[in-house]
Amino acid sequence: MNRSNIVNLNGLDKEAIEESKRNPKRNVSIISLRNSNKDIFLVRTRKLPEKWQPIGGGISIGESEEEAILRETYEEVGILLDKSKIKKVIEVPYDFGDGIIHCYDTIEETNDYLMSINKDEIVEYKWIPVNEALKLQMYDATKKFIEALININ
């Protein structure tokens, strides 16, 4: 077995271990959807309910990083983002195996009333100031992304 494909499961919660088994190799795009106050929208998902994370998901075959963000944002919260307003912030290693998480940022004039939360995927959500987000339980990739957002603001 190739050692680079071995995932250290120590310290991961049950849901993260299952995700590692389902998707040991995966490229993902996530976005910090922020409102005019620059609060970030974070979610706890049905698949990974123990930790907070931005909107996002796997990049499908033939799909660009940006297309994945547009699709996932619409699927998860019902918002059609303007591709020209999203900007790449950082790339970080995939938390659950081999792959890259492509991290994007955008500021969108939105609120809960303009969103259509997909309750099949999202179990809880909140708007929180970026500098307070690090107090929440999150995976390493999300933490690195939030830290990068704090450093560019």
Side-chain angles (χ1 to χ4, degrees):
M1 179 182 278
N2 181 343
R3 289 203 170 274
S4 66
N5 292 333
I6 296 174
V7 178
N8 181 358
L9 301 179
N10 292 334
L12 290 181
D13 53 55
K14 184 177 102 181
E15 290 82 8
I17 292 170
E18 289 303 312
E19 182 66 16
S20 180
K21 290 176 184 176
R22 276 192 304 269
N23 294 299
K25 182 173 176 135
R26 191 169 195 206
N27 290 321
V28 174
S29 283
I30 62 176
I31 191 157
S32 63
L33 179 62
R34 295 191 292 154
N35 61 21
S36 57
N37 295 332
K38 295 195 175 180
D39 294 336
I40 187 170
F41 184 79
L42 295 175
V43 301
R44 287 189 317 109
T45 65
R46 205 161 292 290
K47 281 185 186 175
L48 300 166
E50 300 300 317
K51 311 281 182 171
W52 291 92
Q53 57 192 328
I55 296 168
I59 302 170
S60 299
I61 295 172
E63 186 176 52
S64 72
E65 300 164 22
E66 295 89 354
E67 290 167 338
I69 284 298
L70 300 176
R71 175 182 52 76
E72 289 287 343
T73 303
Y74 185 73
E75 287 176 1
E76 293 181 19
V77 296
I79 293 176
L80 293 170
L81 294 177
D82 181 343
K83 186 177 177 179
S84 69
K85 292 182 180 179
I86 64 174
K87 62 181 181 182
K88 191 161 194 175
V89 175
I90 191 172
E91 290 182 354
V92 295
Y94 179 54
D95 285 307
F96 311 116
D98 186 28
I100 301 286
I101 300 178
H102 305 276
C103 306
Y104 287 81
D105 183 40
T106 192
I107 300 202
E108 186 71 24
E109 292 295 326
T110 192
N111 59 48
D112 294 356
Y113 300 107
L114 299 174
M115 300 169 85
S116 177
I117 306 298
N118 181 340
K119 293 185 172 111
D120 291 334
E121 288 192 41
I122 296 171
V123 296
E124 187 176 0
Y125 63 92
K126 66 170 65 183
W127 291 96
I128 186 169
V130 175
N131 59 348
E132 292 181 26
L134 290 174
K135 296 175 186 172
L136 300 174
Q137 292 288 325
M138 60 184 62
Y139 293 108
D140 287 342
T142 301
K143 182 178 180 184
K144 290 175 186 170
F145 181 30
I146 301 290
E147 289 168 343
L149 287 171
I150 290 169
N151 289 330
I152 63 171
N153 289 320

